[in-house]
């Protein structure tokens, strides 16, 4: 530095001492400067004061020479001490050069800068608050300083500044929040610790309502919650806990809408539990305000439902969120007009990443909140399109856990119950995946899936949609529904018949599904959609089935279910006594499809007590191709005759004269069987049939009575036999074609 330059009012001796490498000499110079400035203060000579500060700043603190910079720093601190309470008028000139030295490469100089600023702030106290942002910015950098002495000095200054803020009621929170929002995304652990400590201090000051600005930095807090340092995570948990307490105390002033999407984007294991806990409280406190964010919430919540016991707390919190959110959906959400339904009320994406997240949150968040809060909470629009998209995505994802899939299906069922009109607009897109889900490995998933499909098939909201009908002829078929009323199928929910068609197609394409889960699925559908509806519609569809082998297998499956399942008890009783036109029509409908399987047809006749017709059918078995599979089916029928289902049939063997065709039909089955265990079983049963002479009473007529079913006016048995012959002719033709192809595998068609 040029010592000959005029630095007045600083004397040459002061200038030399400020430039000296020894701290003691610079300290002596500082005392002289303090004395000089006190004189100017006494004279009220602000011009000279500013001149001294300017010289110390530009010629010393901002000098290229390190010793000069150190002298300038101690000189500026001396000025502040001399100014005392008047230092507030000169703070900008005092602070700026010191803060510049915070960036110096020399750690000793950074320490002196920290010391100088401490003295300046200590004297000015509350007067430094207008300059808080620049002080905070500088301190946040020193908090991560590698030199321990600098860190120690910055911590002293930090505590002093916190004391000043705590005892003052003039802190400008509005001006500070943008800086906080920017600094909170630092990845440095010390900087994060510094930020968290300040948030904790500001949150504890009664006159500072930091909760109003929580949406501005909540995302950053959750990112810090994922820090690798246990201490930092603990500090962050404490701060978040305090905020959550405040939210519970003052829910009416909380900006739930702005923070909803912030919570759902955090899926890191370390912070997920806190995020789920916050979201649970938000849903319970804010109610329908969070509905526009349902898709984002579900995106975060649903995967957590499949967690194991290692994440039990997170799973339980997510389950509570899911349950609370589901309760918010009410029938009134099905009453919005077309325009509000098709437009999403959530302008923020469900999931944000990187800078897009921060930008969207800052620019749109306040707009969302103002819109939501300006209207009645009950008028908030459900983001149904977004919810369905999320649910559908989870069903399509093969990695989705079982409990998540169950929750998805529960959501779909709930939406079809609460908002059927809107949901049916999504049914065509959901339907294929719901059908595919029937192949799931979990019975519980299949059961929930069937509940959804059954609701779709039976909901009155689907009656206005005729897209599911196959053709005009199908739509005119009558079907018996619960309550005993015959209705035209066109008046029904069109998805019922569509569901039955697609279910049978799926069984046809996936024979393993039919074998492993077919009976379970059909039995559950009988409970959900009424057994008569299910069997009537399936019989109609199978009547036109081109794959005759599948038709035979499917009829055999349906017949086994009909004869053995507890769920079909009412339907069996209805068929057992064909006293009404409706029951006769049902029998004829089943019979025509049952003809794909001769043994099943006979068993249907046994069930309906059409014994003479059963005997007539068995007489025709001599013209059929008797295969091993055919004999196995007869074997199973004999076993069924011995089961509780046919107790009434066995008791009718006591009345020999009135049931001659029953005995003939059973003997016919006996003659079909080889000398097997089933043969012995049936033979033994028939040997127990009593002598009619021994069983005759005085009141009994001597002449045998024909089968009572022959007098049934609603059934044309001759036509049924002709139909049986036609169906069996088709089966025989198909078998011959297959046999021909197997004998000539190389023959070209």
């Amino acid at each position: 530095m040029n010592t000959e330059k005029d630095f007045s009012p600083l004397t040459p001796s002061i200038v030399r001492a400020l430039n000296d490498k020894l701290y003691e000499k610079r300290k002596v110079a500082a005392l002289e400067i303090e004395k000089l400035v006190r004189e100017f203060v006494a004279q009220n000579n602000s011009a000279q004061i500013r001149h001294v500060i300017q010289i110390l700043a530009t010629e010393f603190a901002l000098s290229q020479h390190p010793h000069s910079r150190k002298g300038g720093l101690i000189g500026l601190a001396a000025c502040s001490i001399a100014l005392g309470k008047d230092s507030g008028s000169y703070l900008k000139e005092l602070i700026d050069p010191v803060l510049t030295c915070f960036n110096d490469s020399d750690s000793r100089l950074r320490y002196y800068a920290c010391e100088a600023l401490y003295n300046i702030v200590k004297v000015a106290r509350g007067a430094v608050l207008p300059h808080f942002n620049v002080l905070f910015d500088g301190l946040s950098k020193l908090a991560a300083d590698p030199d321990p002495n600098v860190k120690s000095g910055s911590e002293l200054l930090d505590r002093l500044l916190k004391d000043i803020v705590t005892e003052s009621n003039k802190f400008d929170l509005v001006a500070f929040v943008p800086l906080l929002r920017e600094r909170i995304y630092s990845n440095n652990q010390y900087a994060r610790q510094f930020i968290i400590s300040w948030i904790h201090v500001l949150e504890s000051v009664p006159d500072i309502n930091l909760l109003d600005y929580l949406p501005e930095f909540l995302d950053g807090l959750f990112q810090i919650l994922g820090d690798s340092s246990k201490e930092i995570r603990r500090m962050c948990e404490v701060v978040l806990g305090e905020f959550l307490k405040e939210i519970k105390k003052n829910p009416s002033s909380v900006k739930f809408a702005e923070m909803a999407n912030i919570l759902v984007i955090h899926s890191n294991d370390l912070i997920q539990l806190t995020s789920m806990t916050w979201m649970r409280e938000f849903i319970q406190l804010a109610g329908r305000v969070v509905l526009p964010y349902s898709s984002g919430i579900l995106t975060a919540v649903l995967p957590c439902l499949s967690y194991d016991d290692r994440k039990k707390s997170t799973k339980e919190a997510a389950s509570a969120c899911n349950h609370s959110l589901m309760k918010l959906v009410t029938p009134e959400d099905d009453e919005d007009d077309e325009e509000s339904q098709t437009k999403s009320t959530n302008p923020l994406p469900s999931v944000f990443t990187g800078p897009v997240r921060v930008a969207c949150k800052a620019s749109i968040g306040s707009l969302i909140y103002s819109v939501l809060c300006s209207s009645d909470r009950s008028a908030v629009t459900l983001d149904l399109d977004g919810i369905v998209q999320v649910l559908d995505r989870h069903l399509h994802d093969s990695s989705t856990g079982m409990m998540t899939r169950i929750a998805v299906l529960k959501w779909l069922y709930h939406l079809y119950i609460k908002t059927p009109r809107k949901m049916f607009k999504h049914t065509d897109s959901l339907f294929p995946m719901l059908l595919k889900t029937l192949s799931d490995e979990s019975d519980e998933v299949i059961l929930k899936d069937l509940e959804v499909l059954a609701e779709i098939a039976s909901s009155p909201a689907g009656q206005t949609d005729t897209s599911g009908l196959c053709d005009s002829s199908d739509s005119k078929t009558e079907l018996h529904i619960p309550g005993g009323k015959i209705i035209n199928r066109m008046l029904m929910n069109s998805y019922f018949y569509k569901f039955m068609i697609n279910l049978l197609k799926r069984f046809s394409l996936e024979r393993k599904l039919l074998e492993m889960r077919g009976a379970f699925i059909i039995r559950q559908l009988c409970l959900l959609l009424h057994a008569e509806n299910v069997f009537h519609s399936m019989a109609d569809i199978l009547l036109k089935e081109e794959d005759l082998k599948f038709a035979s297998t499917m009829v055999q499956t349906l017949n086994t279910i009909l004869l053995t399942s507890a769920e079909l008890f009412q339907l069996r009783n209805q068929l057992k006594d064909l006293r009404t036109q409706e029951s006769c029509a049902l029998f004829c409908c089943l019979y025509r499809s049952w003809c794909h399987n001769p043994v099943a047809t006979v068993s249907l006749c046994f069930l309906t007590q059409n014994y003479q017709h059963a005997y007539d059918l068995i007489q025709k078995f001599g013209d059929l191709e008797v295969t091993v599979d055919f004999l196995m089916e007869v074997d199973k029928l004999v076993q069924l005759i011995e089961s509780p289902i046919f107790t009434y049939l066995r008791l009718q063997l006591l009345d020999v004269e009135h049931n001659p065709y029953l005995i003939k039909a059973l003997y016919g089955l006996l003659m079909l069987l080889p000398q097997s265990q089933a043969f012995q079983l049936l033979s033994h049963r028939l040997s127990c049939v009593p002598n009619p002479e021994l069983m005759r009473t005085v009141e009994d007529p001597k002449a045998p009575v024909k089968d009572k079913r022959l007098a049934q006016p609603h059934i044309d048995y001759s036509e049924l036999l002709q139909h049986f012959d036609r169906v069996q002719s088709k089966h025989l033709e198909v078998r011959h074609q297959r046999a021909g192809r197997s004998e000539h595998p190389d023959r070209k068609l």
Side-chain angles (χ1 to χ4, degrees), residues 639-654:
Q639 302 291 335
L640 279 173
I641 290 172
E642 294 298 320
S643 71
I645 296 296
F646 282 113
T647 299
Y648 68 91
L649 181 147
R650 298 194 300 275
L651 289 174
Q652 286 174 346
L653 291 174
L654 294 173

Side-chain angles (χ1 to χ4, degrees), residues 600-637:
T601 312
V602 171
S603 68
L604 179 64
C605 290
F606 282 157
L607 175 66
T608 56
Q609 304 182 67
N610 281 295
Y611 300 135
Q612 181 174 349
H613 193 72
Y615 173 71
D616 292 339
L617 287 174
I618 293 172
Q619 290 287 89
K620 292 178 176 291
F621 283 6
D623 300 328
L624 302 179
E625 182 180 1
V626 179
T627 64
V628 174
D629 290 341
F630 179 90
L631 292 175
M632 289 179 64
E633 290 181 36
V634 176
D635 189 296
K636 291 178 181 178
L637 177 56

Side-chain angles (χ1 to χ4, degrees), residues 68 95 111 171 275 307 432 480 519 535 659 687 726:
S68 297
I95 290 174
Y111 174 78
F171 182 75
S275 180
Y307 284 171
H480 188 274
F535 271 74
N659 295 287
S687 68
R726 288 194 297 270

Side-chain angles (χ1 to χ4, degrees), residues 253-264:
S253 62
V254 178
K255 300 178 181 179
F256 292 105
E258 291 189 49
M259 291 185 282
N261 270 325
I262 299 173
L263 295 178
V264 303

Side-chain angles (χ1 to χ4, degrees), residues 18 23 26-27 29-35 37-38 52-53 56-57 60-61 69-84 87 90-91 93-98 111-124:
L18 287 175
Y23 171 75
R26 295 197 301 271
K27 186 176 180 181
L31 293 173
E32 291 295 324
I33 292 173
E34 181 181 343
K35 181 179 178 182
V37 172
R38 286 185 189 277
V52 170
I53 294 174
L56 292 171
F60 289 88
R69 292 201 295 277
K70 295 173 185 176
L73 290 171
I74 198 170
L76 289 170
C79 288
S80 177
I81 293 171
L83 288 167
S87 62
Y90 306 91
L91 280 176
E93 294 91 333
L94 291 168
I95 290 174
D96 286 352
V98 177
Y111 174 78
Y112 285 132
C114 192
E115 184 181 49
L117 189 56
Y118 178 87
N119 288 320
I120 294 171
V121 172
K122 186 176 181 180
V123 171

Side-chain angles (χ1 to χ4, degrees), residues 367-649:
L367 175 60
I368 301 171
Y369 182 68
S370 62
V371 171
L372 292 176
C373 291
S374 63
S375 59
D376 182 34
R377 288 191 174 192
S378 63
V380 175
T381 304
L382 176 70
D383 179 23
L384 187 63
D385 293 349
I387 291 176
V388 172
Q389 184 179 5
V390 171
L391 298 176
D392 188 48
R393 184 169 68 246
H394 278 86
L395 276 184
H396 276 84
D397 189 353
S398 59
S399 64
T400 300
M402 182 190 72
M403 296 307 297
T404 299
R405 296 198 301 276
I406 292 173
V408 167
L409 293 168
K410 285 182 177 179
W411 258 103
L412 289 172
Y413 181 78
H414 184 70
L415 291 173
Y416 272 108
I417 294 293
K418 299 298 183 181
T419 60
R421 182 177 60 85
K422 290 184 179 180
M423 278 301 295
F424 264 92
K425 297 181 183 299
H426 298 278
T427 300
D428 285 335
S429 61
L430 290 170
F431 206 65
M433 194 61 219
L434 290 171
L435 287 167
K436 186 177 179 180
T437 305
L438 291 174
S439 302
D440 197 275
E441 297 178 354
S442 166
D443 285 349
E444 192 172 353
V445 171
I446 294 175
L447 184 57
K448 293 300 177 185
D449 189 40
L450 288 172
E451 289 179 2
V452 177
L453 286 165
E455 181 60 29
I456 291 174
S458 60
S459 174
Q463 291 180 356
T464 57
D465 184 1
T466 59
S467 60
L469 296 175
C470 299
D471 52 49
S472 58
S473 61
D474 290 338
S475 65
K476 295 178 182 178
T477 306
E478 289 183 339
L479 184 64
H480 188 274
I481 63 168
K485 181 181 178 182
I486 295 288
I487 65 171
N488 188 295
R489 184 169 286 123
M490 180 171 283
L491 300 178
M492 288 183 60
N493 181 331
S494 60
Y495 279 96
F496 174 83
Y497 204 67
K498 184 178 181 179
F499 175 30
M500 294 297 113
I501 292 174
N502 282 277
L503 178 60
L504 289 175
K505 283 182 179 178
R506 194 153 196 88
F507 284 150
S508 178
L509 295 173
E510 294 186 39
R511 297 301 172 88
K512 188 176 181 180
L513 175 64
L514 175 59
E515 179 184 346
M516 302 298 294
R517 301 290 181 82
F520 171 72
I521 291 173
I522 294 170
R523 282 165 40 216
Q524 294 303 318
L525 284 177
C526 288
L527 291 175
L528 295 167
L529 292 172
H530 198 274
E532 186 176 344
N533 288 352
V534 174
F535 271 74
H536 199 305
S537 59
M538 285 191 170
D540 277 350
I541 298 165
L542 288 171
L543 191 61
K544 303 169 187 176
E545 177 61 51
E546 296 180 358
D547 185 345
L548 298 184
K549 187 174 182 180
F550 166 70
S552 177
T553 303
M554 193 67 225
V555 165
Q556 184 182 7
T557 302
L558 290 171
N559 187 65
T560 302
I561 296 170
L562 175 63
L563 295 178
T564 61
S565 298
E567 294 85 354
L568 277 297
F569 175 79
Q570 184 177 352
L571 186 61
R572 283 196 297 271
N573 282 344
Q574 183 179 344
L575 288 168
K576 192 181 298 182
D577 296 311
L578 301 179
R579 296 178 179 178
T580 64
Q581 182 178 355
E582 289 80 8
S583 60
C584 291
L586 176 61
F587 165 73
C588 292
C589 174
L590 297 181
Y591 180 95
R592 294 178 187 281
S593 291
W594 261 232
C595 286
H596 284 297
N597 189 297
V599 179
T601 312
V602 171
S603 68
L604 179 64
C605 290
F606 282 157
L607 175 66
T608 56
Q609 304 182 67
N610 281 295
Y611 300 135
Q612 181 174 349
H613 193 72
Y615 173 71
D616 292 339
L617 287 174
I618 293 172
Q619 290 287 89
K620 292 178 176 291
F621 283 6
D623 300 328
L624 302 179
E625 182 180 1
V626 179
T627 64
V628 174
D629 290 341
F630 179 90
L631 292 175
M632 289 179 64
E633 290 181 36
V634 176
D635 189 296
K636 291 178 181 178
L637 177 56
V638 172
Q639 302 291 335
L640 279 173
I641 290 172
E642 294 298 320
S643 71
I645 296 296
F646 282 113
T647 299
Y648 68 91
L649 181 147

Side-chain angles (χ1 to χ4, degrees), residues 339-379:
E339 181 178 357
S340 63
Q341 175 200 325
T342 55
K343 293 182 180 179
S344 173
T345 60
N346 181 6
L348 288 174
S350 298
V351 178
F352 302 111
T353 55
V356 175
R357 172 180 60 209
V358 180
C360 286
K361 194 167 74 259
S363 60
I364 306 177
S366 58
L367 175 60
I368 301 171
Y369 182 68
S370 62
V371 171
L372 292 176
C373 291
S374 63
S375 59
D376 182 34
R377 288 191 174 192
S378 63

